[in-house]
Structure formats: C-alpha cells, structure tokens
Amino acid sequence: MSALQRSTAKRDAGIDRVSRLLTLPSLAIIFVFGILPLVIMLVYSFLKPAAYGGVEWEFSTEAYVSFFFTQDIFDETLTFNPDYLSIYLRSFVFAVGTMIACLLLGFPTAYFIATRPAHQRQWWLLLVTIPFWSNLLIRTVAIMLIIRDEGLVNHWLINLGVIDRPIVMLYTNFAIVLGLFYSFFPFMVLPLYTSLEKLDFRLVEAGFDLYATRGRVLRRIIIPLAKPGIVAGCLLVFIPALGAYVTPLILGGGTHLMIGDLIAQQFGSSRNWPLGAAQALILMSGVLVALFFYARNTAGKGVGHGR
Amino acid sequence: MSSVVAKAGLEIRNVGKLFTQPGKGDFRALDDVSLFIKPNEFFTLLGPSGCGKTTLLRMIAGFEYPTEGEIRLNGDEISDLPPYQRPINTVFQNYALFPHLTVDQNIAFGLEMLRRPKGEIDKTVDEMLRLVKMTEMRGRKTSQISGGQQQRVALARALAPHPKVLLLDEPLSALDLKLRKEMQIELKRLQHETGITFVFVTHDQEEALTMSDRIAVMSAGKVLQVGSPRDIYDHPANRFVANFIGETNFLTGTVLSAAPGRADIKLGTGAVIAAGVPDGMTPAGEVTVVVRPEHAVITDPETAAVKGTVDTVVYFGTDTHYHLKLDSGAPFTVRQQNRRGREVHLAAGQPVGIDIPGGVAQVLRD
Ligand SMILES: Nc1ncnc2c1ncn2[C@@H]1O[C@H](COP(=O)(O)OP(=O)(O)O)[C@@H](O)[C@H]1O
Ligand SMILES: [Mg+2]
C-alpha cells in the first residue's frame, strides 16, 4: 500500500518534471522574441549613438532628453521642443480617426454578415478578408494609383463633369487615414462579427416587445452586448495604426510623418539608435498605460454589479 | 359613423400564415383561425408541438405578420403595427432576460422605453418586485439567479408597462414539476391581481385545464374547439380533442333516436345508452361516442348492459385504473377512486359489467 503510494508519488513527480520540460520551448520563444528585444531596446536607449549607427557603451539619458528638449549648441540650455511630441499627437489623431472610421463602417458590415443565413456567412467573411492575401505594400501602392491627381477617382469625376480640376488627395492626411482604414478594416470586422454572431436575437425581439424602437434596441441592447467585440476591434485597429510605417510613408509622401516613420528614421538616415529605442519605448509605455486604465475601468464594471 | 361598436377584447379574424421557404415549398402554419379573447380572460392555446401556437402568439405580439385575416385590439386593427407600438407584452419561452442588465433594470426597461417619469418607474419597479417576490434579488445580474427566479423576473418585466394583453409562450416548460405547480398558482394570482388579459400557450392539457377560463384546442394550424375547460373535457367536439384532453374510451354504435342535444345510441353489444350531442349536430347512422374512464362504473356482469373481462389493473394511490376488454373486442378503461372499505378486488380474466350512467357519453362530430 505505502509502496504503491510512494510509486505513484514518484510517477507524479516524474510527470511534473516532464511537463515542465515540455514548456521550455515556449518559454524560450517568449524570452528570445519577447523579453530579450525589449531589454536590448531599454539598454540601448540609455547609451550614446555611434557616428555610423550602432551605439557606444557609455551611459547617457541624452535620448530621452532630446525627445522633449533641444539643447543650445553654445550655452547648453534646454528649451522645450514639441516637434517629436507633435508627431506623436498627429499619429494618435490618425489612429483614433482610423479606429472610428473602421468602427462606423465595420459595425454595419459585421451586423450584416452576422444576420445572413449560416451557410452564407463564411462567404461574406471571405470577401472581407480577401485583400489580406495580397501584400500590404502592393495594396498601398494601389490606393496611391487610385487617388493620385491622374488616378481613377479624379479621372472619373472629371469625365463625369463633377469637377474640372483634380482634387488633391495623395500626400494628404486624408490619404494616410484612407490607407490605414483600408489596411486595418478586417481587424475591426472580425471581432465585431464574432460577438454579433453570438448575440441572441430573441433579446432583440424582447427589446421591440418592450417598446424600444430600432435605434434604441441598437443602443440599449445590441451595442452593450457587442461591447467585447467593439473593444477588441478598436484595440486591434488602434495599436497597429498608431505604429504604422509603410502606409504613411507611401501615402503621406514623407511629409506627414507618423511615429513608425520617425522611429525608422533614427535607425536609418539619422543614425541615432538610442533615440530610436527611446521613441519606441515611449510609444509602448503610452499604449500600456492606456490599456492599464482601460482594463481597470472595465474589470471594475463587469464584476462589481453583484453587490 | 359606422354601426359597428368597438368590441373590447382581442379579436383574431380569419387569420392565416403561409411561410414561404425558398427552395423548400410553402408551409401553412395557420389556417383560417378566428378567436375572440375577452378582456381580463385567462385564455389558453393548447395543442401538440408544431401546431402553430407560437406562430399565432408571435403574430399577436407583432414579430410575424399574418398572410391572411386581421387582428384587432379593442376594435382597432393592429396586425400591421410593429411590436413596439402594440400595448402587448410577451413572456418568452426562454425568458430572454437582458444579460447585461440587473433584475431591476430589466423590469424598468419597458417603462424607460415608454419614457415614463423616473419617479413612476421606480415606484412600479418596486411594486413589480414585490408582486413576484424578488425584492431581495433586485441588484443581481440575471445570470446570478435560478431558473424559477428568472421566470419571475420575466413576468415582472412584461407586466411592468401594464399591457392590455400578456402573451406567455410555454413559460413553465423549463421548470421542474414542483416549481411548475407553484408557478401555475402564482400565474393565476397575478392575472387576478393585475386584471390583464393573459394568452397562455401550452402543450400540457392538465396545465390548460387547471388554469384557463377558456381553452382553444389547436391541431395542424387549425382551431378545433373553443370552450371552458369543463366544456372541452365533457363535450369534446371531435376525436382529436377527446384524445388530446385526458384519457377517453371510444365506442361505436348506431343512432336509434335523436333529439336536440341528446340521442339514444345502440352499441355493438346490443346495449342502449343515452349520449350528449354537440350543438347543431343531428346524428344519424353509425357514430362514435366517448366515455371518460372516471364516468363509467364497474358493476355485476349479470345485470349490466355492457360486459367485458379484466385485462390489467393499475394502482395509482388515489385511484385505480382497470383496463378491460369488451365482449366486442374493444378496449375500455375504468378509473375508480380508492376509498377505504370500498376497494374492489378484481383479477385479470375476471368477467365484469360496465355501467354507463345516462348523459356521460358524448357523440363525436367526426
Ligand atoms: N419562419 C418559419 N419558416 C417556416 N416554417 C416555420 C417558421 N416558423 C414556424 N414554422 C413552422 O410552423 C409550424 C408551427 O410552428 P410553431 O408555431 O412554432 O408551433 P408550436 O409553437 O405550436 O409548437 C411548425 O411546423 C414550424 O416548423
Ligand atoms: Mg412553440
């Protein structure tokens, strides 16, 4: 009896050891691809830039200081310089704009798909995701061809006599937001669809039964119940849009920089790796702080109701 | 102007529903249904699953539109109004409580949509919570209460706007037997206290008999008979109704003589019994009569007109069922109450006589 117990205990310990061993690859991946690069970035951001790229191993907070201030060459006084911050602000505005545009158009799209007969839904979803199968660069260049002065849109509008001079769309803020919207639209539709598909439409009928008009059923029942999908979609669009690189580079024509381009520049032509690392970390901490406050707010609402 | 006086009540006039299903052919769910439901009535739609009860209820609520006929409430045509413009509320089969709202928010929903003043909403919600005995649970999410409690909240939510008509689609079917019995009494009490017309759907004949003022028995999209529970039980109009409501014995015989409301029938065994006849029917020739098992009495085989032998005896506690075989070969069941000192001891194969008192037999229309 006790021998049996001992042997099962031994076997359990063995299984424990094996299962711990089996988690090693995933732990290694998390470390090598997740934690290690962050640590490298953190370390680099506190070093000095080398003349031809790379870093010199000497501690310095210069990267963070120069993010907010410019140093006078002669008397070394610091003056506040909002140049970088304004790029961050612009990126934030673009990302929010993209998110709102995706939500406003994605919600009806997802609702439409979710209310189709079950066998049709997958085809509609396929249509939404098909553009994803081609390269982002190609899609962005395609937009460029459509909206440029001699592009498809202007060509038609002029031929139809609506306008007599092309509307300048390329290399404007509009072009960037349009490109971002097009790139990230499926990221909004898919989570929205997932939560709308789970929605019990008998609740919608119950709403109508209790004197709610269509608009109020939408506001008071459908939107609250689709909230997890709305939140997930907004995050999935907002975060990558904030750090977008290719789209603003091509459609903004290099004049309307976004954070992604700014950071890329530090590692490229500017040869200031510490500043690039610092800019990336500042962006990341901003996003993390926002997420933290968001999570704390919603968690409080979800559970606290039991009273 | 018009000479037609607006009748108070819910009128369903020649209503039909044809579902058109692309690729599958059409399906007629309701066929020429006409009903008049009086104010403050507990009216039940009774019928087997798939007979169209839910479809009819959904048309009254406004989720479905009739393809023929019209629905009138207190004289006004409502069949084309959307659900939110009808003073009618529904207790859904699965309750359909809003999971993102608390118990009291659920109950307040209808009143808020009607833009009632805040004070009035609070007062009505308190009143409703008391009415369904859920005051303690008012702050809970609907996922944090039991099935029976969800049922009460669904009732309170539908009653709070004080509709003219309350529709209930098999509201008790998900509850266990004991809870169901309690809720049956509770529902009757609520209907009595609120004075609202209840249209109640069930496939359970016992539930229908115990709760209703009147019952409409439905089958395959048609209403077969409308009447009080006693009416329907004692005077079933046809074989389906007789079979669906309680246990019944069917006997065949020929009509000897017929007067309005009654007829003398000669059974196959030669015995003559007096039977009731449905209104407006003049029976002739071969007919089927029904006799409820508890209305027949086992007697001495020597003197009785109808004779048979005992097949099986089943003891039920309060009463005993004797399954007999008539001399004509037809099965016949007699149910007798078990009373102290009056037990009849019968064994299988024993010959018995059956007494069918005058008036308990009923001639069927078809
Ligand atoms: N939307 C619909 N399309 C086609 N047939 C339907 C539809 N809704 C109900 N039916 C059919 O109508 C019949 C009656 O259904 P229902 O009213 O739900 O019956 P009950 O509530 O009495 O069980 C059923 O045979 C059902 O399959
Ligand atoms: Mg039903």
Side-chain angles (χ1 to χ4, degrees), chain B residues 65-96:
Chain B
Y65 295 94
T67 43
E68 298 100 21
E70 55 183 31
I71 299 172
R72 289 175 174 274
L73 183 62
N74 299 337
D76 301 325
E77 159 96 275
I78 58 165
S79 356
D80 296 328
L81 294 182
Y84 50 85
Q85 284 176 7
R86 303 185 186 200
I88 295 173
N89 287 142
T90 309
V91 176
F92 293 87
Q93 189 163 3
N94 64 331
Y95 315 143

Side-chain angles (χ1 to χ4, degrees), chain A residues 158-175:
Chain A
I158 290 172
N159 276 6
L160 286 172
V162 182
I163 49 173
D164 45 28
R165 203 170 306 135
I167 303 172
V168 179
M169 289 179 282
L170 193 56
Y171 307 140
T172 63
N173 292 345
F174 166 78

Side-chain angles (χ1 to χ4, degrees), chain A residues 173-300:
Chain A
N173 292 345
F174 166 78
I176 296 176
V177 174
L178 178 71
L180 292 174
F181 166 80
Y182 179 58
S183 311
F184 298 120
F185 186 64
F187 289 121
M188 181 63 87
V189 173
L190 294 178
L192 278 179
Y193 167 76
T194 312
S195 62
L196 284 173
E197 190 223 26
K198 280 195 299 238
L199 187 105
D200 183 351
F201 279 89
R202 286 173 296 195
L203 296 176
V204 173
E205 283 191 347
F208 284 133
D209 191 62
L210 292 162
Y211 313 105
T213 52
R214 287 159 168 278
R216 303 181 110 198
V217 164
L218 182 69
R219 274 203 309 280
R220 298 289 304 268
I221 297 167
I222 298 176
I223 290 180
L225 289 173
K227 206 170 154 209
I230 295 175
V231 169
C234 285
L235 288 179
L236 283 180
V237 170
F238 176 77
I239 293 174
L242 192 60
Y245 167 63
V246 173
T247 311
L249 191 69
I250 296 177
L251 297 176
T255 53
H256 298 76
L257 282 187
M258 280 182 72
I259 300 174
D261 311 292
L262 184 67
I263 294 172
Q265 224 174 51
Q266 308 313 321
F267 290 94
S269 53
S270 293
R271 296 207 184 108
N272 193 341
W273 289 22
L275 182 59
Q279 285 170 346
L281 285 172
I282 288 168
L283 171 64
M284 203 179 82
S285 31
V287 170
L288 281 181
V289 168
L291 277 184
F292 172 76
F293 277 109
Y294 170 76
R296 221 178 50 171
N297 273 345
T298 46

Side-chain angles (χ1 to χ4, degrees), chain B residues 215-282:
Chain B
I215 299 173
V217 184
M218 295 177 63
S219 167
K222 287 198 170 72
V223 171
L224 300 181
Q225 189 175 2
V226 183
S228 69
R230 183 168 289 274
D231 231 17
I232 294 208
Y233 188 80
D234 286 347
H235 308 291
N238 59 31
R239 184 176 281 268
F240 179 88
V241 176
N243 230 343
F244 195 71
I245 314 271
E247 248 183 298
T248 312
N249 296 302
F250 294 97
L251 298 169
T252 47
T254 42
V255 179
L256 287 183
S257 66
R262 55 164 295 146
D264 287 330
I265 313 286
K266 185 172 186 228
L267 300 179
T269 54
V272 175
I273 58 168
V277 172
D279 287 346
M281 180 189 177
T282 319

